[in-house]
Amino acid sequence: MAETRRWELAAHRRLEKGKVVGVVVLDGWGEAAPDTFNCIHVADTPTLDALKKGGPERWRVIKAHGTAVGLPTDDDMGNSEVGHNALGAGQIYAQGAKLVDMALASGKIYEGEGFKYIQQSFENGTLHLIGLLSDGGVHSRIDQLQLLLKGASEHGAKRIRVHILTDGRDVLDGSSVKFVELIENDLAKLRDKGVDARIASGGGRMYVTMDRYENDWQVVKRGWDAQVLGEAPHKFQNALEAVKKLREDPKANDQYLPPFVIVDERGRPIGPIMDGDAVVTFNFRADRMVMLAKALEYESFDKFDRVRFPKIRYAGMLQYDGELKLPSHFLVAPPEIERTSGEYLARNGIRTYACSETVKFGHVTFFWNGNRSGYFHPNLEKYEEIPSDIGIPFNEQPKMKAVEIAKKTRDAILSRKFDQVRVNIANGDMVGHTGDIEATIVGCKAADEAVKIVLDAIEQVGGIFVVTADHGNAEDMVKRDKSGKPLRDKDGNVQPLTSHTLNPVPIAIGGPGLQPGVRFRSDLPSAGLANVAATVMNLHGFEAPDHYEPTLIEVVDK
Ligand SMILES: O=C(O)[C@@H](CO)OP(=O)(O)O
Ligand SMILES: [Mn+2]
Ligand SMILES: [Mn+2]
């Protein structure tokens, strides 16, 4: 079926071609009731406030979590990967989390090429499992790790080492202890059955291993030293003691725990990765595993000194990059996100500029294009990256590079060399993840200012804008009880919510190029992020392909 589809898009019956369309994605910017813990509400955001007044015809909310973006259930919060996939692809795909669930439930994971490949190391080598240890469901899920541990041991693994990354970002800070207990319990059961299974190393996800878009290779190196070389500044006899001790530091934070290794009575690391071993990175999400995948797989590598490059059999939970085919072995085939709007528009001559700062750069390029790196049509596309700050927590620089991104984008718009400009403004999300309310308010204001710069440029060229978001975060910064009341401890303190949320996100359209009769349809109350691609195609003057989720807009006579 797919092969017979044409790439050529039909002209829209009512909407003209040739307008510059500015697509702004505010990362981590949900819509929620006014509240003191709603940083978007508290912050001074005149630009977004003005857009909201355009509702319901030019402002509305759309779903950004759960099944609307291909996640297993409607209890799953949205995230950047699935959000930008949906925004760019215009279609809803069963995402990595769900595909892994299905492969584990059916047992097919153990019959696939990837598992058979690593299985060859089970006789004489160790199986290492590296990944994020939480039930956040954004990058990984602990229940999938638990099933994999059990399944791998039943399929021949005799010696297993788990290298954990503590979370505190998709789950509450401090929950690392509970997750380590859970896994230690499972490993003890495996040991009772004669499998030598232990946690061998660990560290906080933002400080160890899970960097992205090559922002800071030192993060990956710290992980490499602990996981592969068995070297780290902190040494403990077991992982529970490690996280408990490291958390005694008053400034400790699960996201940033320093690297540690588990050692035996004589101080020797119990699980460095050696020749002949098997390694699985058990995150299903791509962005924060690609760098480690390169270090584990590429023979020639110059990002840091690996000291030792063990001859291993390595598989990802999924293949993380469809263009680089990385890693080459994987346990579950990733969603085949095809016929994205980026590809359609490039094939129909639309010139595109995409921009963000490093920590979100791949969101408007790689994720937008269906986890595919590179250009569709280098002559028509320009992707520009603004270097992010390195090594400082985002609550210390909450304005991030919002204004710089906006100014580059303004220049791209005014150059008239592009038909579409697409940006991601990171503040609501990156600062929201720190749990620092004051800083998040500053970040939201900066994001609003950046939007204004882009909209002013759109105004100047007679263009059209679409302002939306990928999922919630900054609009709710506190852990709540079932009735929605903030939970307080005995001293009256609230627990900051560092994670994304289940809230819908706003979408606004406007600009001088928008024909007067264009408005949001009222017959799609449950529309979600996947409906945006068809909308954007319409604004470029094209009908969307019929396999896309329907457009959000209609044109009425005025
Ligand atoms: O930082 C990240 O990796 C995730 C949260 O785990 O956030 P986002 O999906 O917004 O990138
Ligand atoms: Mn995001
Ligand atoms: Mn986020």
Side-chain angles (χ1 to χ4, degrees), residues 27-28 78-82 84 132 138-139 167 169-170 205-206 210 212-213 285 287-288 359-360 363 367 429-430 433 470-471 473 500:
D27 213 292
N79 70 69
S80 290
E81 178 177 54
V82 299
H84 287 77
L132 182 64
V138 172
H139 293 268
D167 190 344
R169 188 173 177 90
D170 302 326
R205 56 176 285 176
M206 296 299 282
M210 281 174 60
R212 67 179 163 205
Y213 309 141
R285 174 159 152 177
D287 56 346
R288 294 189 186 275
V359 292
K360 296 286 179 184
H363 288 36
F367 284 157
D429 186 66
M430 294 301 286
H433 279 306
D470 61 341
H471 52 76
N473 186 338
H500 300 165

Side-chain angles (χ1 to χ4, degrees), residues 7 9 84-91 93 336-348 365-372 374 376 381 383 422 533-534 537 545 547-548:
W7 281 104
L9 296 171
H84 287 77
N85 283 169
L87 285 166
Q91 308 150 77
Y93 286 91
E336 274 182 52
I337 306 180
E338 285 177 336
R339 298 204 157 233
T340 59
S341 61
E343 184 160 12
Y344 266 114
L345 291 172
R347 285 176 183 251
N348 284 270
T365 57
F366 174 75
F367 284 157
W368 192 275
N369 294 332
N371 294 5
R372 181 188 183 283
F376 292 109
E381 292 167 278
Y383 297 167
R422 183 166 78 224
M537 282 177 166
H547 63 107
Y548 268 37

Side-chain angles (χ1 to χ4, degrees), residues 45 84 96 172 196 200 205 245 258 266 275-276 303 309 313 415 457-458 489 502-503 511:
T45 54
H84 287 77
L172 293 179
D196 173 9
R205 56 176 285 176
K245 270 264 155 25
R266 291 165 57 191
D275 284 353
K303 302 303 183 183
F309 179 51
R313 292 194 175 85
S415 77
I458 288 289
D489 63 19
L502 301 172
N503 288 319

